[in-house]
Amino acid sequence: MRLWKLIGLAGLAGVAATGTVLARNERQRRAYSPDDVRTRLHERHAVAGAAPEPVPVAELTAGRRHRLAQVLRRR
């Protein structure tokens, strides 16, 4: 019975720690000015807009290879 109490207390401590981390992250996120957010979004967009490296077909899973074959057959 005592073990379950310790496990329960450890779980509560974990939930409290998670809530603390989430609250801190939220405060940091809200500290950005609209100009900072806009600048960060433009930077992310520029990085995401770069051409991705092609993945060799051999590295694809069987399901993805099947899907790729279906798409290519339609063209």
Side-chain angles (χ1 to χ4, degrees):
M1 190 70 151
R2 189 175 198 173
L3 177 64
W4 291 111
K5 287 182 183 179
L6 290 175
I7 292 173
L9 288 174
L12 286 175
V15 169
T18 302
T20 302
V21 169
L22 291 176
R24 183 185 67 210
N25 289 342
E26 182 68 17
R27 280 194 306 272
Q28 288 175 350
R29 186 185 66 80
R30 289 179 184 233
Y32 295 130
S33 71
D35 291 330
D36 291 338
V37 172
R38 189 176 303 110
T39 302
R40 285 174 173 249
L41 287 175
H42 284 297
E43 289 171 359
R44 286 184 188 175
H45 179 69
V47 170
E53 293 184 25
V55 177
V57 175
E59 293 182 14
L60 294 175
T61 62
R64 288 186 179 247
R65 265 182 277 171
H66 178 70
R67 177 75 178 128
L68 178 61
Q70 285 179 337
V71 170
L72 292 176
R73 270 188 242 129
R74 280 189 223 150
R75 292 182 180 186

